[in-house]
Amino acid sequence: MTITRRNLLTAAGASTLAAILPSTAHARRDGVIELNAGPSRQRLYGADGPLSDLWTFNGRAPGPEIRVKRGERVRVRLTNNLEEPTSVHWHGMRVDNAMDGVAGLTQEPVPPGDTFDYEFVAPDAGTYWYHAHSRSWNQVARGLYGPLIVDEANGPVFDPARDLTLVIDDWRLTRAGAFDVASLGAMMDWSHAGRLGNWLTVNGEATPQMTLRAGEAHRLRLINASNARILEIDPNRFGGKVLAHDGQALPAPASVNYAPLMIGPAQRVDLLVMPEPGGDFALEELSGDAPFAFARFTVEGEASARAPVPRLPAPDLPEPDLSGARTIGVEMTGGAMGRMGRVTYNGKVLRRGDFRRTGQVWAFNGVANLPEQPLAAIRRGESVIIETVNDTAFVHAMHVHGHHFRVIERSGTDLDDGRPWRDTFLIGPQQTVRIAFVADNPGKWLYHCHMLEHAAAGMNTWFEVA
Ligand code: C2O
Ligand code: CU
């Protein structure tokens, strides 16, 4: 399904910036932020569109922006007002394992009517997000996610008025323009490219209009909250440069010389934009038949001089020892048009005919979904390389929990873009990608595809750091 530019009536118009940015999470007097997961209604297809039945945190998708300083303690009370169990994962945050929010691996899912208290210290500055991690293919698709921004230790580096969070989601809407509930869980999506939508929102709004100041340095924090859509954008069209990938700053702002820039599900990109006077522009998604403008920017003011560009502090992550690292192999198989040999699921060998019944269509090393034994048992502090071979016909967005890694090699070619730190990487059909990191965070950590239908249909494994 491609994104088509539906005839958006007069839709969002010129809303004010304040109305467009995610609301801020306010802590109670005791410092606890409340997140209430529950049903709510929202217009996704512009102001004249119908109401959609969603599941959200605090009544809106995205949920409130949680904003803290690096090193600060974050305390969140999750209340589950849904009809099914849930949990919250702090995507990209190197938290204690018990706070990682993975239902069935790091905690019991929180039953309806119950609460769960999360508490962690924000270890790294940057752009992160939180989302449900229990039947994520269903709960994230319905809107259970929000932004999590960690300011630099000495306070925000960019002027807060020039620092904008854009949570982007790809929705599948019905003809009438409401969220398509009926197609949730469609096997066709699970065995192909995942649940792709036909409509994009930014912070829950259709094509918002925002204002930037000419000559000033802006930080646009793009968060891809889609279940499966890889967003393709070209920052060269408006002079944008990349400041950070997945929260971690690059050594210097970098031009994109491999346009379009692909932002996989769960990935984040921070862009530096210094607009010229009168340089109005749109953010366009390029993967469809025609460019889809999903956010518009008006540039105000006459710049006399260009403001200096603030410098982001360098990432503070342990450097893996590549020569001494142990290599762990992961072979991805299955899916439509893919090969699938003998597959084990829940300890039993599946036969071809079982796939439809179990919903499992993908495997890592011949195992669909979580194996009983970890993929690897790693000594704390050990450097590891995960070599992932994609023997399927689809692109995947692979995410490691609890650690950031460097992408060191893609199909035999050494990467020339400075081996950026990431927590999620894209891997094309028949590609091999090698990532490296120091496994310094003890516990049971998931390694899975963040195309959430793929994860549900088998693309999940875990490793243990002891
Ligand atoms: Cu963004 Cu396993 O999660
Ligand atoms: Cu996948």
Side-chain angles (χ1 to χ4, degrees), residues 11-74:
S15 2
T16 65
L17 190 59
I20 289 161
L21 294 179
S23 68
T24 312
H26 294 289
R28 301 190 314 216
R29 200 170 313 144
D30 59 4
V32 175
I33 294 163
E34 309 249 17
L35 284 184
N36 296 306
S40 66
R41 310 192 83 195
Q42 187 168 330
R43 288 179 215 284
L44 300 172
Y45 187 44
D48 300 319
L51 283 164
S52 290
D53 286 306
L54 304 182
W55 294 357
T56 58
F57 290 113
N58 298 4
R60 219 186 119 71
E65 178 168 296
I66 298 178
R67 192 155 193 141
V68 295
K69 243 195 231 173
R70 182 177 178 199
E72 200 176 314
R73 186 166 292 276
V74 187

Side-chain angles (χ1 to χ4, degrees), residues 245-439:
H245 282 302
D246 293 354
Q248 305 291 339
L250 301 185
S255 305
V256 173
N257 46 22
Y258 42 88
L261 175 65
M262 315 254 267
I263 313 172
Q267 288 187 323
R268 290 86 63 214
V269 173
D270 287 26
L271 293 178
L272 169 69
V273 179
M274 284 189 91
E276 303 286 342
D280 296 3
F281 68 94
L283 267 178
E284 293 175 312
E285 207 284 327
L286 304 171
S287 68
D289 306 335
F292 180 102
F294 62 95
R296 296 185 186 281
F297 296 89
T298 308
V299 180
E300 267 182 7
E302 297 298 320
S304 38
R306 286 166 79 82
V309 177
R311 257 191 98 83
L312 298 183
D316 185 8
L317 296 164
E319 200 60 61
D321 162 24
L322 295 184
S323 56
R326 139 143 84 127
T327 297
I328 300 162
V330 174
E331 190 199 16
M332 316 172 80
T333 54
M337 300 164 284
R339 189 176 66 75
M340 186 92 150
R342 244 167 68 117
V343 171
T344 304
Y345 175 55
N346 282 344
K348 286 205 204 72
V349 177
L350 287 187
R351 284 168 218 297
R352 260 286 170 197
D354 294 336
F355 294 152
R356 196 170 294 275
R357 194 170 43 76
T358 58
Q360 301 298 301
V361 288
W362 308 90
F364 290 159
N365 295 346
V367 182
N369 241 301
L370 293 189
E372 277 154 41
Q373 293 302 315
L375 168 71
I378 304 167
R379 227 179 339 100
R380 185 177 185 182
E382 206 178 333
S383 288
V384 291
I385 292 173
I386 301 183
E387 180 175 284
T388 305
V389 178
N390 179 5
D391 191 8
T392 78
F394 293 88
V395 183
H396 303 283
M398 295 299 297
H399 172 45
V400 177
H401 278 228
H403 300 78
H404 268 72
F405 52 79
R406 284 193 191 275
V407 180
I408 56 172
E409 199 182 305
R410 190 177 290 279
S411 285
T413 39
D414 198 6
L415 293 171
D416 60 358
D417 57 356
R419 298 178 163 185
W421 291 104
R422 286 195 168 281
D423 57 48
T424 306
F425 69 89
L426 288 169
I427 182 167
Q430 305 309 321
Q431 265 187 350
T432 296
V433 173
R434 304 209 312 149
I435 62 170
F437 60 98
V438 179

